[in-house]
Amino acid sequence: MRIGDVEVLPVFDGTGREVAAEVLSRPGVPDAWACHADQLDPEGVLHLPLGGFLVRTGERVVLVDAGVGGINNDKYSGGGFLDSLRAHGVAPEDVTDVLFTHLHFDHVGWATRKGEVVFPNATYRVHAADWAHFVEAPDAEPGAVRKLGPLASRLAPFDTDGPLAPGVDARHTPGHTPGSTVYVLSGRGERALLLGDIVHSVVELAEPDWQAVFDVDPVAARAVRNAIADEVADTADLVVGAHFPGLRFGRVVTTTGGRAFQAI
């Protein structure tokens, strides 16, 4: 798909599986998923595609997020990221930039492997607040430090909104994590927003008061999610979450019942 002169393509790594009612719901409403059963399997499990997005812009070859890596357990399984990337004609050494929406494990899996940087010619970019939280804090989780530490010499953190590549702008959206970032692709009057995990399911674009257990600050996460959903509603702007079905883009529209997501 093209947004102006910017090409954006999904890169698939694997799938996550979570019991929906345990991770995402409306507080105080135990049967909140009853109206959205079509988003779940018969056991009430929410299936979450894992991966990222390839963005080609000018002479830059950009990855937004890097999947879950080689994890394979009863909830999360990856392994397909590099093959999916090669199917788009891109080898690891071709990548010029890796942009992280945030630093949760299922978004940084192919950043490094066994202590080695996977994309050897890339500059790695993330909001400084997330690097401080996940890597530099005294109570940082050791696994995250081991995974991300090798990136330090290649890291170019940012702490302001603005362009990172032609037609690619960062927009700080704290709540899910301290440095959670939306990347806005634009050109020729068109826009598409890579939402990361400010939205885990399309349901959250329809339900303004739901929250996810993964959010560091649920109140801030809900506020920024609703602000962006209202901003793009009934416009030509496209949006996609990091775990939307098929990593497909769509539009937010208003209906008699509120908002809804319509995939394209």
Side-chain angles (χ1 to χ4, degrees), residues 29-232:
V29 182
D31 60 346
W33 279 98
C35 295
H36 301 285
D38 60 310
Q39 298 295 321
L40 310 178
D41 71 13
E43 284 71 46
V45 172
L46 181 64
H47 292 251
L48 303 167
L50 307 172
F53 292 90
L54 168 65
V55 178
R56 291 188 177 104
T57 175
E59 297 183 354
R60 307 275 281 277
V61 179
V62 181
L63 288 179
V64 177
D65 288 337
V68 74
I71 291 176
N72 189 359
N73 57 38
D74 61 341
K75 283 192 174 184
Y76 291 84
S77 60
F81 194 86
L82 297 185
D83 287 340
S84 182
L85 194 60
R86 290 188 183 99
H88 292 313
V90 176
E93 57 269 22
D94 297 332
V95 176
T96 62
D97 305 82
V98 178
L99 312 182
F100 296 117
T101 59
H102 64 294
L103 295 179
H104 278 155
F105 75 98
D106 55 323
H107 295 254
V108 302
W110 290 97
T112 64
R113 290 287 287 165
K114 298 181 180 180
E116 298 294 328
V117 174
V118 173
F119 305 103
N121 298 318
T123 299
Y124 289 76
R125 303 173 190 270
V126 67
H127 195 281
D130 250 34
W131 188 260
H133 178 79
F134 285 95
V135 182
E136 297 179 334
D139 59 348
E141 199 276 315
V145 175
R146 286 194 301 271
K147 168 63 74 172
L148 298 168
L151 302 179
S153 64
R154 300 171 179 271
L155 189 72
F158 55 87
D159 58 10
T160 58
D161 292 356
L164 296 179
V168 182
D169 286 77
R171 179 171 172 180
H172 188 205
T173 51
H176 179 60
T177 66
S180 183
T181 300
V182 165
Y183 293 104
V184 182
L185 312 181
S186 62
R188 301 181 185 270
E190 300 175 333
R191 283 205 322 166
L193 283 68
L194 307 182
L195 301 177
D197 276 5
I198 71 164
V199 180
H200 293 84
S201 166
V202 299
V203 172
E204 288 173 284
L205 294 174
E207 300 284 359
D209 51 359
W210 281 36
Q211 65 185 42
V213 298
F214 311 111
D215 294 336
V216 170
D217 184 339
V219 174
R222 184 168 60 245
V224 74
R225 179 170 59 249
N226 284 318
I228 287 181
D230 287 341
E231 174 187 328
V232 302

